[in-house]
Amino acid sequence: MRALCWEGVDDLRVTEVPDPEVVNPRDVVLRVSLSSACGSDLHILNGYLPTMREGDVIGHEFMGEVAEVGRKVEDVSVGDRVVVPSFVGCGNCAYCADDLWSLCDNTNPNASLQEPVLGDATAGIYGYTHAFGGYAGSHAEYVRVPHADTNCFHVPDELDDQQALFASDAWPTGYMGADFCDIEDGDVVAVWGCGGVGLMAQESAALMGAERVIAIDRLPERLAMAEEHAGAETIDYTEVDVVDELKRRTGGRGPDACIDAVGMEAHGTGVAHAYDRAKQRLRLHTDRGEALRQAMRACRKGGTLSVLGVYGVMDKFPLGVAVNKGLTVRTAQQHGQRYVPQLLDHVAEGEMDPSYLATHELPLAESPEGYDLFKHKEDGCVRPVFRP
Ligand SMILES: [Zn+2]
Ligand SMILES: [Zn+2]
């Protein structure tokens, strides 16, 4: 089959790779119908994430039609149209039982690559380094989905592919970030970043009852989307001091909750020496941490800081700001399986429709060009999606 492979820094190519197979009786193989690029992929492109190997298939946000079913799969059949969260859950461990899906204890066969850095290992993820399990990604004609009964969610017939696709990764991540804020009537929620995850966090916060949502970015077309779809007020961070401006707009108090949807994934997670090597190559370190530091300073005393950006092992994290202001800090990689059913309900009931994130739809053959548009944020690109 054809797939988009990482062949080195800034080198993505569509090549022939072996077809995936059912290797465990609980697997299915999915014929991919749509697969989206994600902001966190850019750090793979830029070579900041260790433990990628040449020829690895990337992509972790996808949906498709079931093509082959293992003999112990019960709830999914050939021909079913499903969307799949980016983190693989086993459905049986204590973490999965607690709805903490990205912490699953059983789906990362390469846990030893993360433990020296994190002390523990995360769940596995598709197409996202060997430290995150080494699973083949979704920018391909077919992808293997383990623990299919746990990880495949049926898409209602009335939803089209683009309406369901983002329930895989961008939307549950943003939705979880808003959920972490325990939003009450009258709350002001500020969100740093208007990429796919940031826009989803803004719209979800509005849906959960935030009185005001304030979106922070620099790209006019993305700020316009925040205004249109989330009803957000906007701040262009290149034009004002963000902390001063947020205080000014909230009577000197600061937002009740601040969501960081920018992140500093560049540090990634992997063996310590690989991390050090990657860190030496980093040029954007200070800038990237700035969104989080701004959020901490801007947030009202006793407020909530919700961190969605995929951070590595960040230095210069001003913990004293959180301590002295009594902030509640909440963070996680996305626990998609907790949220997907309610997200699909929100679309079916017309309460939210994330399909506008897919600004560019391209055939798989043109996916390298799609990543180029995405990386350089050209032509108003928020998310390029690929139809194999
Ligand atoms: Zn992602
Ligand atoms: Zn588990």
Side-chain angles (χ1 to χ4, degrees):
M1 68 166 184
R2 286 171 310 119
L4 180 67
C5 298
W6 184 89
E7 300 291 352
V9 174
D10 263 329
D11 186 2
L12 295 177
R13 286 180 233 167
V14 177
T15 53
E16 278 297 315
V17 300
D19 286 353
E21 292 172 350
V22 166
V23 294
N24 178 289
R26 292 185 172 80
D27 293 347
V28 299
V29 171
L30 215 64
R31 182 182 303 110
V32 178
S33 48
L34 268 188
S35 185
S36 174
C38 172
S40 61
D41 293 332
L42 295 179
H43 302 299
I44 291 178
L45 246 77
N46 295 337
Y48 291 147
L49 280 186
T51 77
M52 283 298 288
R53 293 182 197 151
E54 287 170 23
D56 283 349
V57 181
I58 68 165
H60 58 261
E61 180 156 30
F62 62 100
M63 61 169 303
E65 194 183 294
V66 177
E68 197 185 337
V69 179
R71 62 187 160 78
K72 288 192 177 169
V73 174
E74 292 173 356
D75 302 333
V76 185
S77 309
V78 170
D80 287 359
R81 195 165 68 114
V82 298
V83 60
V84 178
S86 55
F87 276 88
V88 186
C90 77
N92 286 309
C93 72
Y95 294 102
C96 288
D98 268 351
D99 250 354
L100 301 170
W101 297 88
S102 63
L103 307 180
C104 174
D105 245 348
N106 287 326
T107 57
N108 187 344
N110 300 329
S112 63
L113 293 178
Q114 290 194 342
E115 284 163 354
V117 180
L118 301 181
D120 286 292
T122 66
I125 182 170
Y126 304 89
Y128 205 75
T129 78
H130 289 266
F132 279 90
Y135 292 93
S138 60
H139 296 336
E141 292 179 85
Y142 295 91
V143 64
R144 173 186 159 234
V145 176
H147 304 287
D149 286 334
T150 297
N151 296 303
C152 291
F153 291 84
H154 289 97
V155 176
D157 289 342
E158 64 266 32
L159 269 57
D160 65 33
D161 288 352
Q162 291 196 353
Q163 287 177 310
L165 170 66
F166 297 105
S168 166
D169 189 64
W171 193 5
T173 306
Y175 197 85
M176 179 186 74
D179 190 29
F180 281 169
C181 299
D182 293 328
I183 294 167
E184 293 176 1
D185 283 351
D187 275 359
V188 180
V189 179
V191 181
W192 276 253
C194 294
V197 171
L199 288 164
M200 290 297 97
Q202 292 155 20
E203 229 184 315
S204 302
L207 190 67
M208 290 176 198
E211 186 171 303
R212 293 167 62 198
V213 175
I214 304 177
I216 301 148
D217 204 293
R218 70 182 162 85
L219 296 170
E221 67 274 18
R222 291 191 181 190
L223 289 168
M225 280 181 166
E227 212 173 329
E228 183 189 341
H229 295 281
E233 304 167 32
T234 60
I235 293 178
D236 176 344
Y237 67 78
T238 64
E239 287 182 351
V240 290
D241 179 294
V242 173
V243 178
D244 285 352
E245 182 64 14
L246 284 169
K247 295 287 188 196
R248 191 183 68 75
R249 292 196 197 182
T250 53
R253 198 162 177 254
D256 299 286
C258 291
I259 300 176
D260 170 9
V262 177
M264 199 181 58
E265 301 117 313
H267 279 177
T269 310
V271 288
H273 82 92
Y275 161 64
D276 284 336
R277 215 178 55 219
K279 191 177 160 191
Q280 282 167 1
R281 289 203 303 263
L282 278 178
R283 297 170 297 275
L284 301 172
H285 177 191
T286 315
D287 291 346
R288 294 269 169 119
E290 190 53 25
L292 183 56
R293 286 189 281 273
Q294 277 176 5
M296 295 175 81
R297 278 169 40 231
C299 196
R300 76 156 165 85
K301 292 186 281 186
T304 299
L305 176 68
S306 171
V307 184
L308 301 177
V310 181
Y311 283 86
V313 187
M314 180 176 168
D315 19 36
K316 297 180 190 161
F317 178 75
L319 187 62
V321 178
V323 173
N324 284 297
K325 293 177 68 173
L327 301 182
T328 298
V329 180
R330 299 196 64 184
T331 184
Q333 299 268 24
Q334 69 129 340
H335 300 308
Q337 290 83 344
R338 186 196 301 182
Y339 297 108
V340 174
Q342 66 203 83
L343 300 186
L344 296 175
D345 281 351
H346 283 314
V347 186
E349 282 157 32
E351 292 161 338
M352 235 181 108
D353 181 350
S355 51
Y356 68 92
L357 298 182
T359 49
H360 295 72
E361 185 175 314
L362 303 165
L364 184 66
E366 291 170 26
S367 52
E369 290 79 11
Y371 267 94
D372 218 46
L373 273 179
F374 182 48
K375 177 175 172 172
H376 298 108
K377 300 179 171 66
E378 284 166 0
D379 196 29
C381 185
V382 175
R383 288 290 178 101
V385 301
F386 311 121
R387 202 177 275 282

